[in-house]
């Protein structure tokens, strides 16, 4: 046991003596979480800006402006036509919405109120803006029709009723109540930051594991392996020492990332025992994968190259970068055979649904099955001579 | 102390060690001399229990490497041909690690590491990373790592490859001193002068076979033509070689370098020199250089195998 610990502690020291290890293990995953989690999670930072040119200066054009301001996709900035044209030319705006003179009159008559939407050719979300504007005009049309009917009975101007209706509709409680399905009373959200935090922790633990499991190949290349086996240290002790070091390095990395993401981004990782079991199974699987790859390659360079390709591809397939719900069904089927899919499912269960240990039995079992296969093949391919 | 008995080793269909037999006494310095690919490293790996062998046996202090490899590993310190150290760690970290691998406690390893650093002359560099060391210094720490547990036998596999003469001398002096203090040394090399300097007994190995074993004097006495005269000639002349072969003091002639260099083994250089030159002149062959080489292990190897140690 002394020798196992000696190998393990030396490998850990060897890793942490290098400053670049801290960047790869902790700096980069936190930075990626901040960038991807923040950008995709905070809706206000992702809004584009459109110019709003009001040629009509009417109650209805004002109403359209107010209605359109309440959306998650874009912000409106009122300005003149020339000003808007200049800003679009300078790429400060991606487009404009122009309300022509006579806009309000179209509501009173039988005509169709029109708004002109001009946008840069590189803007890809134009269909969504088109839909939002159309919906807003349709809503206004219904309100104006109702106001006109009221006007016919009351003999008062429809413009008097319209603002009342508009205010009533915009302040009414929505008929849909959104409830998140959780396993306990403590409501938790798998926000984008939480999801990316789990995802990038998995990805960077895998990257680091590829590197640290490569020490077996490096040891063979440098002669350290030869010397180790010439000492009175058994093969079991040698492999035990290395294996323990890989496992502890993985846990140190994951533990620090969990603590840092909780402090920095407010991520709640859920049931701690569940997280411990899930991360342990994931690490066994990842260490197994590292040994598996090192069993089939000859140099650390090959291990790095193969490892990078495998990690990137499986992270894409396993829902680390984006939710699996948005990918086609055949890719979702492939994802069933990817360890990261099961790890992410486990984290979703713990973080988002407030699950406990019994709720992650399936992901943990699958990860352990992957571990057994990878470790069995990886360890049998280690050459001792 | 060490007995290597009729050991055979094959890789696939190729037999690389063919019944190697030799023994080393306690406190002795034994050299295994042979060219690259002769089977020295394979033999060393088998002694260290790193490579299984097909036939024969190896024992250290009566323990067989087949049955008690760990007992043997406790008694030996191995200096591999490669610099088997961790370059990003300090010399002290490396020595402590290898000390622990040999079963020393941290305290004992620390004390011994300072002693070892003194032996290899690098105490002042204890905290420096190995990657900042020169090739010679790395080789010295490489030896130091094998000394951590005070081994009874120090096995060194070409420990001076690729280093400067000053570092080589330091290493040779260190090993000589260790041997004087009672440590048994097994030293493999293809540098004849290193083996001659260090070792009392020498085994010459080629193509997986030990072709001669004995003290330096024993081996040189075995030379039938003790002296080699190297003669460079303008052009090859068959009749010259035939005539030289008839001379009574000529034992053997080996032609080299496009047959323009003759290595003539003679038993009396004083008598031979004049007659060799006059025979060449008589056969209209120009002699550009002539060199007399006194008998040594290189000569013996050349005579036994027909090729040089560094071929």
């Amino acid at each position: 046991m002394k020798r196992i610990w000696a190998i393990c502690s030396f490998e850990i020291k060897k890793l942490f003596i290098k400053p670049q290890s801290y960047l790869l293990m902790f700096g980069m995953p936190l930075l990626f979480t901040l960038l991807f989690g923040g950008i995709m999670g905070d809706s206000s930072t992702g809004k584009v800006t459109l110019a709003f040119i009001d040629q009509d200066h009417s109650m209805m054009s004002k109403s359209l402006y107010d209605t359109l301001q309440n959306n998650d996709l874009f912000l409106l900035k009122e300005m003149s036509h020339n000003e808007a044209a200049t800003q679009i030319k300078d790429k400060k705006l991606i487009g404009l919405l122009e309300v022509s003179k006579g806009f309000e009159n179209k509501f009173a008559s039988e005509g169709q109120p029109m708004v002109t939407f001009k946008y840069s050719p590189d803007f890809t979300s134009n269909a969504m803006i088109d839909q939002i504007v159309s919906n807003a005009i349709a809503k206004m049309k219904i309100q104006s029709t109702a106001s006109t009917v009221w006007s016919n009975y009351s003999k008062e101007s429809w413009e008097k009723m319209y603002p009342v209706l508009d205010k009533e509709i915009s302040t009414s409680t929505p008929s849909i109540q959104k409830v998140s399905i959780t396993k306990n009373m403590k409501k938790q959200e798998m926000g984008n930051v939480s999801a990316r935090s789990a995802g990038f922790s998995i990805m960077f633990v895998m990257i680091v594991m590829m590197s640290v499991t490569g020490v077996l190949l490096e040891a063979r290349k440098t002669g350290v392996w030869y010397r180790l086996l010439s000492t009175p240290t058994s093969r079991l002790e040698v492999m035990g020492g290395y294996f323990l070091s890989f496992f502890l390095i993985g846990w140190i990395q994951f533990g620090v990332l969990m603590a840092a993401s909780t402090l920095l981004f407010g991520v709640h990782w859920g049931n701690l025992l569940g997280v411990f079991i899930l991360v342990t199974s994931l690490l066994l699987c990842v260490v197994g994968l590292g040994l598996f790859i090192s069993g089939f390659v000859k140099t650390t360079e090959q291990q790095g190259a193969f490892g990078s390709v495998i990690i990137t591809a499986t992270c894409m397939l396993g829902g680390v970068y984006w939710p699996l719900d948005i990918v086609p069904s055949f890719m979702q089927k492939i994802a069933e055979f990817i360890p990261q899919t099961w790890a992410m499912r486990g984290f979703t269960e713990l973080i988002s649904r407030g699950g406990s240990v019994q709720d992650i039995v399936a992901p943990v079992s699958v990860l352990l099955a992957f571990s057994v296969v990878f470790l069995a093949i990886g360890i049998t391919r280690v050459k001792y001579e | 102390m060490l007995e290597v008995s009729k050991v055979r080793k094959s890789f696939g269909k190729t037999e690389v060690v063919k019944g190697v037999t030799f023994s080393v006494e306690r406190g002795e310095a034994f050299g295994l001399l042979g060219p690259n690919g002769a089977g020295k490293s394979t033999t060393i790996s088998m002694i260290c229990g790193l490579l299984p062998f097909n036939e024969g046996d190896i024992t250290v202090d009566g323990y067989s490497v087949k049955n008690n490899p760990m007992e043997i590993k406790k008694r030996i310190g191995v200096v591999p041909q490669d610099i088997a150290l961790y370059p990003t760690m300090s010399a002290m970290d490396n020595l402590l690690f290898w000390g622990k691998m040999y079963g020393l406690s941290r305290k004992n390893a620390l004390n011994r590491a300072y002693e070892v650093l003194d032996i290899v002359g690098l105490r002042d560099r204890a905290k420096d990373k190995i990657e900042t060391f020169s090739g010679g210094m790395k080789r010295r720490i490489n030896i130091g790592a094998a000394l951590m547990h005070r081994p009874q036998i120090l096995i060194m596999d070409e420990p001076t490859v690729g280093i400067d003469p000053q570092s080589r001398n330091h290493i040779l002096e260190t090993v000589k001193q260790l041997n004087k203090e009672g440590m048994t040394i097994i030293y493999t090399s293809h540098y004849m002068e290193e083996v001659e300097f260090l070792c009392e007994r020498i085994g010459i190995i080629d193509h997986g076979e030990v072709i001669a074993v004995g003290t330096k004097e024993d081996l040189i006495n075995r030379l039938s033509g003790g002296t080699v005269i190297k003669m460079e000639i303008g052009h090859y002349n068959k009749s010259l070689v035939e005539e030289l072969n008839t001379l009574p003091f000529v034992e053997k002639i080996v032609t080299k370098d496009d047959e323009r260099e003759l290595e003539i083994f003679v038993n009396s250089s004083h008598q031979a020199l004049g007659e060799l030159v006059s025979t060449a002149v008589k056969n209209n062959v120009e002699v550009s250089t002539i060199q007399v080489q006194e008998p040594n292990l290189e000569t013996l190897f050349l005579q036994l195998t027909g090729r040089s140690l560094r071929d």
Side-chain angles (χ1 to χ4, degrees):
Chain A
M1 192 62 204
K2 267 169 64 181
R3 289 190 175 94
I4 292 177
W5 182 244
I7 293 172
C8 172
S9 55
F10 193 74
E11 285 299 324
I12 293 173
K13 188 176 178 184
K14 197 155 70 76
L15 180 71
F16 285 105
I17 212 164
K18 291 185 279 190
Q20 61 267 39
S21 299
Y22 295 90
L23 183 68
L24 182 66
M25 291 176 76
F26 311 120
M28 288 181 73
L30 290 172
L31 183 68
F32 273 54
T33 303
L34 177 70
L35 287 175
F36 290 92
I39 288 169
M40 293 163 79
D42 184 355
S43 57
S44 67
T45 54
K47 283 184 178 181
V48 294
T49 306
L50 292 175
F52 187 82
I53 303 160
D54 188 358
Q55 308 271 28
D56 199 41
H57 298 291
S58 60
M59 178 189 71
M60 294 307 279
S61 63
K62 178 77 174 60
S63 174
L64 177 67
Y65 178 81
D66 292 341
T67 307
L68 291 178
Q69 280 294 29
N70 296 320
N71 77 87
D72 293 331
L73 193 66
F74 59 89
L75 292 168
L76 284 180
K77 226 170 147 183
E78 213 169 342
M79 60 184 74
S80 70
H81 193 283
N82 289 342
E83 206 180 341
T86 311
Q87 291 205 25
I88 289 171
K89 196 178 170 190
D90 296 343
K91 299 269 179 193
K92 287 178 183 166
L93 296 172
I94 56 95
L96 61 84
L97 287 172
E98 187 171 4
V99 180
S100 313
K101 211 165 175 54
F103 177 74
E104 185 173 286
N105 294 339
K106 296 279 185 187
F107 285 95
S109 65
E110 291 298 307
Q112 178 60 39
M114 295 291 285
V115 171
T116 309
F117 173 35
K118 293 179 182 172
Y119 56 90
S120 302
D122 54 343
F123 182 57
T124 52
S125 300
N126 52 70
M128 288 166 78
I129 291 181
D130 186 21
Q131 188 64 46
I132 290 169
V133 174
S134 299
N135 288 347
I137 293 174
K139 189 190 113 192
M140 288 167 69
K141 183 80 179 162
I142 292 166
Q143 286 172 204
S144 74
T145 306
S147 303
T148 307
V149 171
W150 175 82
S151 166
N152 290 338
Y153 284 106
S154 65
K155 305 295 179 197
E156 287 191 59
S157 163
W158 70 272
E159 287 97 333
K160 198 176 171 187
M161 187 59 193
Y162 183 87
V164 179
L165 267 178
D166 194 30
K167 191 181 172 192
E168 189 66 28
I169 289 169
S170 55
T171 55
S172 64
T173 314
S175 55
I176 297 172
Q177 188 187 1
K178 291 189 275 185
V179 179
S180 175
I181 302 165
T182 58
K183 296 278 170 71
N184 61 25
M185 294 307 288
K186 190 181 171 188
K187 188 176 182 310
Q188 296 170 328
E189 287 283 335
M190 184 71 161
N192 195 50
V193 177
S194 303
R196 298 293 73 79
S197 197
F200 287 122
S201 297
I202 293 171
M203 187 179 103
F204 278 92
V205 164
M206 290 183 86
I207 290 171
V208 170
M209 279 303 119
M210 280 307 131
S211 158
V212 296
T213 50
V215 298
L216 295 183
L217 294 164
E218 198 186 325
R220 288 183 71 85
K221 186 180 164 188
T222 58
V224 162
W225 188 253
Y226 179 97
R227 173 168 253 164
L228 259 179
L229 295 173
S230 76
T231 66
T233 309
S234 68
R235 291 173 181 184
L236 193 68
E237 286 173 315
V238 171
M239 282 312 292
Y242 276 118
F243 189 83
L244 187 62
S245 73
F246 303 152
F247 189 72
L248 288 183
I249 288 167
W251 245 117
I252 291 169
Q253 187 185 5
F254 221 104
V256 170
L257 288 177
M258 280 173 65
S261 59
T262 303
L263 287 172
L264 295 173
F265 311 124
V267 175
H268 296 287
W269 290 86
N271 184 297
L272 281 181
L273 180 63
V275 170
F276 176 79
I277 293 169
L278 182 64
V279 173
T280 301
S281 338
L282 173 67
L283 286 174
L284 284 172
C285 179
V286 174
V287 170
L289 179 65
L291 288 175
F292 176 83
I293 296 173
S294 69
F296 287 91
V297 296
K298 286 183 177 164
T299 63
T300 46
E301 289 78 16
Q302 285 177 351
Q303 164 114 345
F306 279 109
S308 301
V309 171
I310 290 170
I311 291 168
T312 310
T314 52
C315 281
M316 281 178 174
L317 290 166
V320 164
Y321 302 137
W322 45 72
L324 281 177
D325 308 327
I326 64 167
V327 303
S329 61
F330 79 94
M331 284 177 75
Q332 290 186 17
K333 285 193 179 98
I334 295 171
E336 298 293 319
F337 301 95
I338 305 292
Q340 290 97 311
T341 307
W342 294 93
M344 287 302 286
R345 268 183 205 165
F347 282 117
T348 306
E349 196 66 42
L350 294 171
I351 299 171
S352 173
R353 304 185 71 190
S356 59
V357 177
Q358 56 263 41
D359 299 310
I360 53 164
V361 170
V364 167
S365 305
V366 176
L367 286 172
L368 289 176
F370 274 118
S371 314
V372 170
V373 174
F374 289 148
L375 284 170
I377 298 172
I379 288 173
T380 50
R381 287 191 67 89
V382 174
K383 296 177 186 75
Y384 293 98
E385 289 170 13
Chain B
M1 180 161 206
L2 169 73
E3 296 280 346
V4 178
S5 174
K6 296 175 186 166
V7 170
R8 289 183 177 275
K9 172 71 187 171
S10 299
F11 290 111
K13 287 179 180 171
T14 313
E15 194 173 39
V16 290
V17 175
K18 302 165 184 168
V20 163
T21 300
F22 64 89
S23 62
V24 182
E25 295 302 317
R26 192 177 297 275
E28 189 180 22
F30 181 81
L32 208 49
L33 184 67
N36 290 327
K40 304 187 297 291
S41 295
T42 307
T43 305
I44 292 298
S45 296
M46 291 188 293
I47 294 171
C48 300
L50 298 171
L51 208 55
F53 41 90
N54 306 104
E55 277 180 44
D57 199 9
I58 297 169
T59 59
V60 174
D61 263 358
Y63 291 105
S64 165
V65 76
K66 281 180 177 169
N67 305 323
N68 295 95
M70 285 301 169
E71 286 302 323
I72 292 179
K73 287 177 183 184
K74 282 178 196 167
R75 287 165 169 76
I76 60 172
V78 181
V79 182
Q81 210 174 95
D82 298 312
I83 296 170
L85 300 169
Y86 295 95
T88 56
M89 304 299 276
S90 70
M92 176 56 87
D93 284 334
N94 270 280
L95 293 178
L96 286 178
F97 174 72
W98 291 111
K100 287 176 190 171
M101 287 299 99
Y102 282 113
L104 302 185
S105 66
R106 185 179 161 76
K107 191 183 165 195
N108 288 342
L110 193 65
N111 292 334
R112 180 61 180 160
Y114 281 115
E115 289 174 20
V116 165
L117 285 166
D118 283 335
I119 292 170
V120 297
L122 288 169
R123 190 171 183 140
D124 56 328
R125 302 291 303 269
K127 289 182 179 170
D128 293 343
K129 288 181 181 177
I130 296 293
E131 63 193 2
T132 65
F133 284 16
S134 70
M137 287 193 279
K138 286 177 187 168
R139 289 267 168 209
R140 279 145 72 180
I141 296 292
N142 205 31
I143 294 169
L147 297 174
M148 283 298 289
H149 60 307
R150 295 185 175 85
Q152 294 174 28
I153 306 177
L154 184 65
I155 300 176
M156 310 179 85
D157 190 5
E158 309 222 19
T160 59
V161 171
I163 58 169
D164 57 282
Q166 200 182 349
S167 294
R168 173 178 291 179
N169 288 341
H170 190 285
I171 287 173
L172 293 176
E173 290 295 343
T174 305
V175 178
K176 189 101 178 161
Q177 184 58 32
L178 289 167
N179 181 234
K180 270 186 192 166
E181 290 166 10
M183 193 176 283
T184 307
I185 307 287
I186 298 173
Y187 193 98
T188 81
S189 179
H190 60 266
Y191 294 117
M192 175 200 69
E193 54 279 21
E194 288 183 5
V195 174
E196 277 189 341
F197 173 76
L198 279 176
C199 304
E200 296 142 19
R201 279 198 321 125
I202 297 156
I204 295 178
I205 186 167
D206 190 40
H207 293 306
E209 286 179 278
V210 174
I211 50 178
V213 184
T215 62
K216 184 189 165 189
E217 292 72 29
D218 287 344
L219 293 172
I220 289 171
N221 287 339
R222 285 188 207 179
L223 280 165
S224 51
T227 306
V228 178
I229 296 176
K230 290 187 177 177
M231 194 160 81
E232 227 172 90
I233 53 178
H235 63 276
Y236 180 73
N237 184 317
K238 196 180 172 189
S239 60
L240 167 67
V241 176
E242 283 170 358
E243 195 172 337
L244 289 176
N245 258 324
T246 60
L247 296 172
F249 47 82
V250 172
E251 296 285 343
K252 182 179 175 183
I253 297 176
V254 176
T255 53
K256 302 192 82 180
D257 273 0
D258 298 332
E259 300 180 326
R260 288 185 58 233
E261 187 183 320
L262 303 179
E263 285 182 341
I264 307 158
F265 292 76
V266 297
N267 54 26
S268 170
S269 60
H270 299 293
Q271 185 196 351
L273 212 52
E275 280 206 46
L276 290 175
V277 175
S278 60
T279 310
V281 172
K282 200 167 77 184
N283 282 277
N284 288 325
V285 174
E286 183 192 339
V287 178
S288 49
T289 58
I290 192 156
Q291 185 189 343
V292 180
Q293 191 178 310
E294 287 305 318
N296 59 19
L297 294 175
E298 181 84 41
T299 324
L300 175 67
F301 190 82
L302 195 62
Q303 193 179 61
L304 290 173
T305 66
R307 62 200 183 103
S308 160
L309 269 167
R310 290 180 185 84
D311 277 352

